[in-house]
Coordinates of all heavy atoms in Angstrom, one line a residue:
M1 N 127.5 17.0 -94.6 CA 126.6 16.6 -93.5 C 126.3 17.9 -92.8 O 125.1 18.0 -92.4 CB 127.1 15.6 -92.7 CG 126.3 15.1 -91.6 SD 127.1 13.8 -90.6 CE 125.6 12.7 -90.3
G2 N 127.1 18.8 -92.5 CA 126.9 20.1 -91.8 C 126.6 19.9 -90.3 O 126.8 18.9 -89.8
I3 N 126.2 21.1 -89.8 CA 125.9 21.2 -88.4 C 124.7 20.3 -87.9 O 123.6 20.4 -88.7 CB 125.8 22.6 -87.9 CG1 127.1 23.4 -88.2 CG2 125.4 22.7 -86.4 CD1 127.0 24.9 -88.0
Q4 N 124.8 19.4 -87.0 CA 123.6 18.7 -86.5 C 123.2 19.0 -85.2 O 122.1 18.7 -84.8 CB 123.9 17.2 -86.7 CG 123.9 16.9 -88.2 CD 122.5 17.2 -89.0 OE1 121.5 16.7 -88.4 NE2 122.6 17.8 -90.2
D5 N 124.2 19.4 -84.4 CA 124.0 19.7 -83.0 C 124.4 21.1 -82.6 O 125.5 21.5 -83.0 CB 124.8 18.7 -82.1 CG 124.6 17.3 -82.4 OD1 123.4 16.8 -82.4 OD2 125.5 16.5 -82.7
F6 N 123.6 21.9 -81.8 CA 124.1 23.2 -81.4 C 123.3 23.7 -80.2 O 122.1 23.1 -80.0 CB 124.0 24.1 -82.5 CG 122.7 24.6 -83.1 CD1 122.0 25.6 -82.5 CD2 122.2 23.9 -84.1 CE1 120.8 25.9 -83.1 CE2 120.9 24.2 -84.6 CZ 120.2 25.2 -84.0
V7 N 123.7 24.7 -79.6 CA 123.0 25.3 -78.5 C 122.7 26.7 -79.0 O 123.4 27.5 -79.4 CB 124.0 25.5 -77.3 CG1 123.3 26.2 -76.2 CG2 124.5 24.0 -76.8
L8 N 121.4 27.0 -78.8 CA 120.9 28.4 -79.0 C 120.7 29.1 -77.8 O 119.9 28.6 -76.9 CB 119.6 28.4 -79.9 CG 118.9 29.6 -80.2 CD1 119.9 30.3 -81.3 CD2 117.6 29.3 -80.8
E9 N 121.5 30.1 -77.5 CA 121.5 30.8 -76.3 C 120.8 32.2 -76.4 O 120.6 32.7 -77.4 CB 122.8 31.2 -75.8 CG 123.7 30.1 -75.5 CD 125.2 30.4 -75.1 OE1 125.6 31.6 -75.5 OE2 125.7 29.6 -74.4
G10 N 119.9 32.5 -75.4 CA 119.2 33.7 -75.4 C 119.1 34.3 -73.9 O 119.2 33.6 -73.0
D11 N 118.9 35.7 -73.7 CA 119.0 36.3 -72.5 C 117.6 36.5 -72.0 O 117.4 37.2 -70.9 CB 119.9 37.6 -72.4 CG 119.4 38.7 -73.4 OD1 118.4 38.6 -73.9 OD2 120.3 39.6 -73.6
S12 N 116.6 36.1 -72.7 CA 115.1 36.2 -72.4 C 114.8 34.8 -71.8 O 114.5 33.9 -72.6 CB 114.3 36.7 -73.4 OG 113.0 36.6 -73.0
L13 N 114.6 34.8 -70.4 CA 114.2 33.5 -69.9 C 112.9 33.1 -70.3 O 112.6 31.8 -70.6 CB 114.2 33.6 -68.3 CG 114.0 32.4 -67.5 CD1 115.0 31.3 -67.9 CD2 114.0 32.6 -66.1
N14 N 112.0 34.0 -70.5 CA 110.6 33.6 -71.1 C 110.6 33.1 -72.4 O 110.0 32.0 -72.7 CB 109.7 34.9 -71.2 CG 109.4 35.5 -69.8 OD1 109.4 34.8 -68.7 ND2 109.0 36.7 -69.6
I15 N 111.5 33.6 -73.3 CA 111.6 33.0 -74.7 C 112.3 31.7 -74.7 O 111.8 30.8 -75.3 CB 112.4 34.0 -75.6 CG1 111.3 35.3 -75.9 CG2 112.7 33.4 -76.9 CD1 112.0 36.4 -76.8
V16 N 113.3 31.5 -73.9 CA 114.1 30.3 -73.8 C 113.1 29.2 -73.3 O 113.0 28.1 -73.8 CB 115.3 30.4 -72.9 CG1 115.9 29.0 -72.6 CG2 116.3 31.3 -73.6
H17 N 112.2 29.5 -72.3 CA 111.3 28.6 -71.9 C 110.2 28.2 -72.8 O 109.9 27.0 -73.0 CB 110.6 29.1 -70.4 CG 111.4 28.9 -69.3 ND1 111.1 29.4 -68.1 CD2 112.7 28.3 -69.1 CE1 111.9 29.1 -67.2 NE2 112.9 28.6 -67.8
A18 N 109.8 29.2 -73.6 CA 108.7 28.9 -74.6 C 109.5 28.1 -75.7 O 108.8 27.1 -76.2 CB 108.4 30.2 -75.2
L19 N 110.6 28.4 -76.0 CA 111.2 27.7 -77.2 C 111.5 26.1 -76.6 O 111.4 25.1 -77.4 CB 112.7 28.1 -77.5 CG 112.6 29.4 -78.3 CD1 114.0 30.1 -78.4 CD2 112.1 29.1 -79.8
S20 N 111.7 25.9 -75.4 CA 111.9 24.6 -74.8 C 110.8 23.8 -74.5 O 110.7 22.6 -74.2 CB 112.9 24.7 -73.4 OG 114.0 25.3 -73.6
G21 N 109.6 24.5 -74.5 CA 108.3 23.9 -74.6 C 107.8 23.8 -73.0 O 106.8 23.2 -72.6
N22 N 108.5 24.7 -72.2 CA 108.2 24.7 -70.7 C 107.2 25.7 -70.4 O 106.7 25.7 -69.2 CB 109.4 24.9 -69.9 CG 110.5 23.8 -70.1 OD1 110.0 22.7 -70.2 ND2 111.8 24.2 -70.1
S23 N 106.8 26.6 -71.3 CA 105.8 27.7 -71.0 C 105.4 28.2 -72.3 O 105.8 27.7 -73.4 CB 106.3 28.7 -70.3 OG 107.3 29.5 -70.9
H24 N 104.3 29.0 -72.3 CA 103.8 29.7 -73.5 C 104.3 31.0 -73.7 O 104.6 31.7 -72.7 CB 102.2 29.7 -73.4 CG 101.5 28.4 -73.3 ND1 101.5 27.6 -74.4 CD2 101.0 27.8 -72.3 CE1 100.8 26.4 -74.1 NE2 100.5 26.6 -72.8
A25 N 104.5 31.5 -74.8 CA 105.2 32.8 -75.2 C 104.1 33.8 -75.3 O 102.9 33.4 -75.5 CB 105.8 32.6 -76.6
A26 N 104.3 35.1 -75.1 CA 103.5 36.2 -75.3 C 102.9 36.0 -76.7 O 103.5 35.6 -77.7 CB 104.2 37.5 -75.1
S27 N 101.7 36.5 -76.9 CA 101.0 36.2 -78.1 C 101.7 36.9 -79.4 O 101.6 36.3 -80.4 CB 99.4 36.8 -78.1 OG 99.4 38.1 -77.7
M28 N 102.2 38.0 -79.2 CA 102.9 38.7 -80.3 C 104.2 38.0 -80.8 O 104.6 38.1 -82.0 CB 103.3 40.1 -79.8 CG 104.4 40.2 -78.8 SD 104.8 41.9 -78.5 CE 104.5 41.9 -76.8
I29 N 104.8 37.0 -80.0 CA 105.8 36.3 -80.6 C 105.5 34.7 -80.8 O 106.4 33.9 -81.0 CB 107.1 36.5 -79.7 CG1 106.9 36.0 -78.2 CG2 107.5 37.8 -79.8 CD1 108.2 35.8 -77.6
T30 N 104.3 34.3 -80.6 CA 103.9 32.8 -80.7 C 104.3 32.3 -82.0 O 104.9 31.1 -82.0 CB 102.5 32.8 -80.4 OG1 102.2 33.2 -79.1 CG2 102.0 31.2 -80.5
T31 N 104.0 33.0 -83.1 CA 104.3 32.5 -84.4 C 105.8 32.3 -84.6 O 106.3 31.3 -85.1 CB 103.8 33.4 -85.5 OG1 102.5 33.6 -85.3 CG2 104.1 33.0 -87.0
L32 N 106.6 33.3 -84.1 CA 108.1 33.1 -84.3 C 108.6 31.9 -83.5 O 109.4 31.3 -83.9 CB 108.8 34.4 -83.7 CG 110.2 34.5 -83.6 CD1 110.9 34.3 -85.0 CD2 110.8 35.7 -82.9
I33 N 108.1 31.8 -82.2 CA 108.5 30.6 -81.4 C 108.2 29.3 -82.2 O 109.1 28.3 -82.1 CB 107.8 30.6 -80.1 CG1 108.2 31.9 -79.2 CG2 107.9 29.3 -79.2 CD1 109.7 32.0 -78.8
Y34 N 107.0 29.2 -82.7 CA 106.6 28.1 -83.4 C 107.6 27.8 -84.6 O 107.9 26.7 -84.7 CB 105.1 28.3 -84.0 CG 104.7 27.2 -85.0 CD1 104.3 26.0 -84.5 CD2 104.8 27.4 -86.4 CE1 103.9 24.9 -85.3 CE2 104.4 26.3 -87.2 CZ 104.0 25.2 -86.8 OH 103.6 24.1 -87.6
W35 N 107.9 28.8 -85.4 CA 108.7 28.5 -86.5 C 110.2 28.2 -86.1 O 110.9 27.4 -86.9 CB 108.6 29.6 -87.6 CG 107.4 29.6 -88.3 CD1 106.4 30.5 -88.2 CD2 107.0 28.6 -89.2 NE1 105.2 30.0 -89.0 CE2 105.7 28.8 -89.7 CE3 107.6 27.4 -89.7 CZ2 104.9 28.0 -90.6 CZ3 106.9 26.6 -90.6 CH2 105.6 26.9 -90.9
V36 N 110.7 28.8 -85.1 CA 112.0 28.4 -84.5 C 112.0 26.8 -84.1 O 113.0 26.1 -84.4 CB 112.5 29.4 -83.4 CG1 113.8 28.6 -82.7 CG2 112.7 30.6 -83.8
Q37 N 110.8 26.5 -83.4 CA 110.7 25.1 -83.0 C 110.7 24.2 -84.2 O 111.3 23.2 -84.2 CB 109.5 24.9 -82.1 CG 109.7 25.5 -80.7 CD 108.5 25.5 -80.0 OE1 107.3 25.6 -80.5 NE2 108.6 25.4 -78.7
V38 N 110.0 24.6 -85.2 CA 109.8 23.7 -86.5 C 111.2 23.7 -87.1 O 111.6 22.6 -87.4 CB 108.8 24.3 -87.5 CG1 108.9 23.8 -88.8 CG2 107.4 24.2 -86.9
A39 N 111.9 24.7 -87.2 CA 113.3 24.7 -87.8 C 114.2 23.9 -87.1 O 115.1 23.3 -87.6 CB 113.8 26.2 -87.9
S40 N 114.1 23.9 -85.8 CA 115.0 23.0 -84.9 C 114.8 21.4 -85.2 O 115.7 20.8 -84.9 CB 114.7 23.3 -83.5 OG 113.6 22.8 -82.9
Y41 N 113.7 21.1 -85.6 CA 113.6 19.6 -85.9 C 114.4 19.1 -87.1 O 114.6 18.0 -87.4 CB 112.0 19.3 -86.3 CG 111.0 19.6 -85.2 CD1 109.7 20.2 -85.4 CD2 111.4 19.4 -83.8 CE1 108.9 20.5 -84.3 CE2 110.5 19.8 -82.8 CZ 109.3 20.2 -83.1 OH 108.4 20.5 -82.0
E42 N 114.9 20.1 -87.9 CA 115.8 19.7 -89.0 C 117.2 19.3 -88.6 O 118.0 18.8 -89.3 CB 116.0 21.0 -89.9 CG 114.7 21.3 -90.6 CD 114.1 20.3 -91.5 OE1 114.9 19.5 -92.3 OE2 112.8 20.1 -91.5
F43 N 117.4 19.5 -87.2 CA 118.7 19.2 -86.7 C 118.6 18.0 -85.8 O 117.5 17.7 -85.2 CB 119.3 20.4 -86.0 CG 119.5 21.6 -86.8 CD1 118.6 22.5 -87.0 CD2 120.8 21.8 -87.4 CE1 118.7 23.6 -87.8 CE2 120.9 22.8 -88.3 CZ 119.9 23.9 -88.5
Q44 N 119.7 17.3 -85.5 CA 119.8 16.2 -84.7 C 119.4 16.6 -83.0 O 118.6 15.9 -82.5 CB 121.1 15.4 -84.7 CG 121.1 14.1 -84.3 CD 122.4 13.3 -84.8 OE1 123.4 13.9 -84.7 NE2 122.2 12.2 -85.2
N45 N 120.2 17.6 -82.6 CA 120.0 18.0 -81.3 C 120.2 19.5 -81.1 O 121.2 20.0 -81.5 CB 121.0 17.3 -80.4 CG 120.9 17.5 -79.0 OD1 119.9 17.7 -78.4 ND2 122.2 17.4 -78.1
V46 N 119.1 20.2 -80.7 CA 119.2 21.6 -80.4 C 118.8 21.8 -78.9 O 117.9 21.2 -78.4 CB 118.2 22.4 -81.3 CG1 118.3 23.9 -80.9 CG2 118.5 22.0 -82.8
L47 N 119.7 22.6 -78.3 CA 119.4 22.9 -76.8 C 119.2 24.3 -76.7 O 120.0 25.2 -77.2 CB 120.7 22.5 -76.0 CG 120.7 22.9 -74.4 CD1 119.6 22.1 -73.6 CD2 121.9 22.6 -73.9
F48 N 118.2 24.7 -76.2 CA 117.8 26.2 -75.9 C 118.3 26.5 -74.4 O 118.0 25.8 -73.5 CB 116.3 26.5 -76.1 CG 115.8 26.1 -77.4 CD1 115.2 25.0 -77.7 CD2 116.1 26.8 -78.6 CE1 114.6 24.6 -78.9 CE2 115.7 26.6 -79.7 CZ 114.9 25.5 -79.9
S49 N 119.2 27.5 -74.2 CA 119.8 27.7 -73.1 C 119.8 29.3 -72.6 O 119.9 30.1 -73.6 CB 121.4 27.4 -73.2 OG 122.0 27.8 -72.0
H50 N 119.4 29.5 -71.5 CA 119.3 30.9 -71.0 C 120.6 31.3 -70.4 O 121.4 30.6 -69.7 CB 118.3 31.1 -69.8 CG 118.3 32.3 -69.2 ND1 118.8 32.7 -68.0 CD2 117.8 33.6 -69.6 CE1 118.6 33.9 -67.7 NE2 117.9 34.4 -68.7
V51 N 121.1 32.5 -70.9 CA 122.4 33.2 -70.3 C 122.0 34.6 -69.9 O 121.1 35.2 -70.5 CB 123.5 33.2 -71.3 CG1 123.9 31.9 -71.6 CG2 123.1 33.8 -72.6
R52 N 122.4 35.0 -68.9 CA 122.2 36.3 -68.4 C 122.8 37.3 -69.3 O 123.8 37.0 -70.0 CB 122.8 36.5 -66.9 CG 122.2 35.6 -65.9 CD 122.4 36.1 -64.5 NE 121.9 35.3 -63.5 CZ 120.5 35.5 -63.0 NH1 119.7 36.3 -63.7 NH2 120.2 34.7 -62.2
R53 N 122.2 38.6 -69.3 CA 122.5 39.6 -70.4 C 124.1 39.8 -70.2 O 124.7 40.0 -71.2 CB 121.7 41.0 -70.1 CG 122.0 41.8 -71.2 CD 121.1 43.0 -71.2 NE 119.8 42.4 -71.6 CZ 118.6 43.0 -71.2 NH1 118.7 44.2 -70.4 NH2 117.4 42.5 -71.6
N54 N 124.6 39.8 -69.0 CA 126.1 40.2 -68.9 C 127.0 39.0 -69.4 O 128.1 39.2 -69.7 CB 126.4 40.6 -67.5 CG 126.2 39.5 -66.5 OD1 125.6 38.5 -66.7 ND2 126.5 39.8 -65.2
G55 N 126.3 37.8 -69.4 CA 127.2 36.8 -70.0 C 127.0 36.6 -71.6 O 127.5 35.7 -72.1
N56 N 126.1 37.5 -72.0 CA 125.8 37.4 -73.5 C 126.1 38.8 -74.1 O 125.3 39.3 -74.9 CB 124.4 36.9 -73.7 CG 123.9 36.6 -75.0 OD1 124.8 36.3 -75.9 ND2 122.7 36.6 -75.4
M57 N 127.1 39.4 -73.7 CA 127.4 40.8 -74.0 C 127.5 41.1 -75.5 O 126.9 42.1 -76.1 CB 128.6 41.4 -73.3 CG 128.6 42.8 -73.3 SD 127.1 43.8 -72.7 CE 127.1 43.4 -71.0
P58 N 128.2 40.2 -76.2 CA 128.3 40.5 -77.7 C 126.9 40.6 -78.3 O 126.6 41.5 -79.1 CB 129.2 39.3 -78.3 CG 130.0 39.0 -77.1 CD 129.1 39.1 -75.9
A59 N 126.0 39.6 -78.1 CA 124.7 39.7 -78.6 C 123.9 40.9 -78.1 O 123.1 41.5 -79.0 CB 123.9 38.4 -78.2
H60 N 124.0 41.2 -76.9 CA 123.3 42.4 -76.3 C 123.8 43.7 -77.0 O 122.8 44.4 -77.4 CB 123.6 42.4 -74.8 CG 122.7 43.6 -74.2 ND1 121.4 43.7 -74.2 CD2 123.2 44.7 -73.6 CE1 121.1 44.8 -73.6 NE2 122.1 45.5 -73.1
Q61 N 125.1 43.8 -77.1 CA 125.6 45.0 -77.8 C 125.2 45.0 -79.3 O 124.8 46.2 -79.8 CB 127.2 44.9 -77.7 CG 127.6 45.2 -76.3 CD 127.3 46.6 -75.6 OE1 126.7 47.5 -76.4 NE2 127.5 46.8 -74.5
L62 N 125.2 43.9 -80.0 CA 124.8 43.8 -81.3 C 123.3 44.3 -81.5 O 122.9 45.0 -82.4 CB 125.0 42.5 -81.9 CG 124.6 42.3 -83.4 CD1 125.3 43.3 -84.3 CD2 124.7 40.8 -83.8
A63 N 122.5 43.8 -80.6 CA 121.0 44.1 -80.6 C 120.9 45.6 -80.4 O 120.0 46.3 -81.0 CB 120.3 43.3 -79.5
K64 N 121.6 46.1 -79.4 CA 121.5 47.6 -79.3 C 121.9 48.4 -80.4 O 121.2 49.4 -80.7 CB 122.3 48.0 -78.0 CG 121.6 47.7 -76.6 CD 122.4 48.1 -75.5 CE 122.8 49.6 -75.5 NZ 123.6 50.0 -74.2
H65 N 123.0 48.0 -81.0 CA 123.6 48.6 -82.2 C 122.5 48.6 -83.3 O 122.4 49.6 -84.0 CB 124.8 47.9 -82.6 CG 125.3 48.4 -83.9 ND1 126.0 49.7 -84.0 CD2 125.5 47.9 -85.2 CE1 126.3 49.8 -85.2 NE2 126.1 48.9 -85.9
T66 N 121.9 47.4 -83.5 CA 121.0 47.4 -84.7 C 119.7 48.3 -84.6 O 119.1 48.5 -85.5 CB 120.6 45.9 -85.0 OG1 119.8 45.4 -83.9 CG2 121.7 45.1 -85.3
L67 N 119.4 48.7 -83.4 CA 118.2 49.7 -83.2 C 118.4 50.9 -84.1 O 117.4 51.6 -84.5 CB 118.2 50.1 -81.7 CG 117.5 48.9 -80.9 CD1 117.5 49.4 -79.5 CD2 116.3 48.5 -81.3
G68 N 119.9 51.3 -84.3 CA 120.0 52.5 -85.1 C 120.5 52.2 -86.4 O 120.8 53.2 -87.3
V69 N 120.5 50.9 -86.9 CA 121.1 50.6 -88.2 C 119.9 50.3 -89.2 O 118.9 49.5 -88.8 CB 121.9 49.2 -88.0 CG1 122.3 48.8 -89.5 CG2 123.1 49.5 -87.2
F70 N 120.0 50.9 -90.3 CA 118.9 50.8 -91.4 C 119.2 50.0 -92.4 O 118.7 50.1 -93.5 CB 118.4 52.2 -91.7 CG 117.8 52.8 -90.6 CD1 118.5 53.9 -89.9 CD2 116.6 52.6 -90.0 CE1 118.1 54.6 -89.0 CE2 116.1 53.3 -88.9 CZ 116.8 54.3 -88.3
Y71 N 120.4 49.1 -92.4 CA 120.8 48.3 -93.4 C 121.1 47.0 -92.9 O 121.2 46.7 -91.6 CB 122.0 48.9 -94.2 CG 123.1 49.2 -93.3 CD1 124.1 48.2 -92.9 CD2 123.4 50.4 -92.6 CE1 125.2 48.5 -92.1 CE2 124.4 50.6 -91.7 CZ 125.2 49.7 -91.5 OH 126.3 49.9 -90.6
F72 N 121.4 46.0 -93.8 CA 121.6 44.5 -93.4 C 123.1 44.4 -92.9 O 123.9 44.9 -93.4 CB 121.4 43.8 -94.6 CG 121.6 42.3 -94.4 CD1 120.7 41.5 -93.8 CD2 122.8 41.6 -94.8 CE1 120.8 40.2 -93.4 CE2 122.9 40.2 -94.5 CZ 122.0 39.5 -93.9
S73 N 123.1 43.7 -91.8 CA 124.5 43.5 -91.2 C 124.7 42.1 -90.6 O 123.4 41.5 -90.1 CB 124.9 44.6 -90.1 OG 124.0 44.4 -89.0
I74 N 125.8 41.6 -90.5 CA 126.0 40.3 -90.0 C 127.1 40.2 -89.1 O 128.2 40.8 -89.4 CB 126.3 39.3 -91.1 CG1 125.1 39.1 -92.1 CG2 126.7 37.8 -90.5 CD1 125.3 38.2 -93.3
W75 N 127.0 39.5 -87.9 CA 128.1 39.4 -87.0 C 128.4 37.9 -86.9 O 127.6 37.1 -86.7 CB 127.6 39.9 -85.7 CG 128.5 39.9 -84.5 CD1 129.5 38.8 -84.2 CD2 128.9 40.9 -83.5 NE1 130.2 39.1 -83.2 CE2 129.9 40.3 -82.8 CE3 128.3 42.0 -83.3 CZ2 130.3 41.0 -81.6 CZ3 128.8 42.8 -82.2 CH2 129.8 42.2 -81.3
N76 N 129.6 37.6 -87.2 CA 130.2 36.2 -86.9 C 131.3 36.1 -86.1 O 132.4 36.8 -86.3 CB 130.6 35.8 -88.4 CG 130.9 34.2 -88.4 OD1 130.6 33.5 -87.4 ND2 131.5 33.7 -89.5
E77 N 131.0 35.6 -85.0 CA 132.2 35.4 -84.0 C 132.7 33.9 -83.9 O 131.8 33.0 -83.7 CB 131.6 35.7 -82.7 CG 132.6 35.7 -81.4 CD 132.1 36.1 -80.1 OE1 131.2 37.1 -80.2 OE2 132.4 35.5 -79.2
E78 N 134.0 33.7 -84.2 CA 134.6 32.4 -84.2 C 135.2 32.2 -82.8 O 135.7 33.0 -82.2 CB 135.5 32.3 -85.3 CG 134.9 32.6 -86.7 CD 135.5 31.7 -87.8 OE1 136.2 30.6 -87.4 OE2 135.0 31.9 -88.9
R79 N 135.2 30.8 -82.6 CA 135.9 30.5 -81.2 C 137.3 30.1 -81.5 O 137.8 29.7 -82.4 CB 135.2 29.3 -80.7 CG 133.8 29.6 -80.2 CD 133.3 28.3 -79.5 NE 133.0 28.7 -78.2 CZ 132.6 27.9 -77.3 NH1 132.3 26.8 -77.7 NH2 132.1 28.3 -76.1

C-alpha cells in the first residue's frame, strides 16, 4: 500500500502558499509548482507546511552543501 499521508515542509513561505493553492508562484517556478501539485494527487493526504529556516536546518544545510556538489547525492533522515 505504501505511504498515503505525509507533510511536505519548506522554508519558503511563497512556495508553500503556492503549493497550497493560496497564492500564485513566481513565473519561473510555476511549472514546478504545477507538477508537485499533480504528483500530490497520487496520495490520500498531503499537507504543505511552512517552517522557518532555523527549524529546517538539515534541509537548509543540505541545500547549501549541494551548491558546490557536482554529483548525485541523497540524504535520508530517519526518526
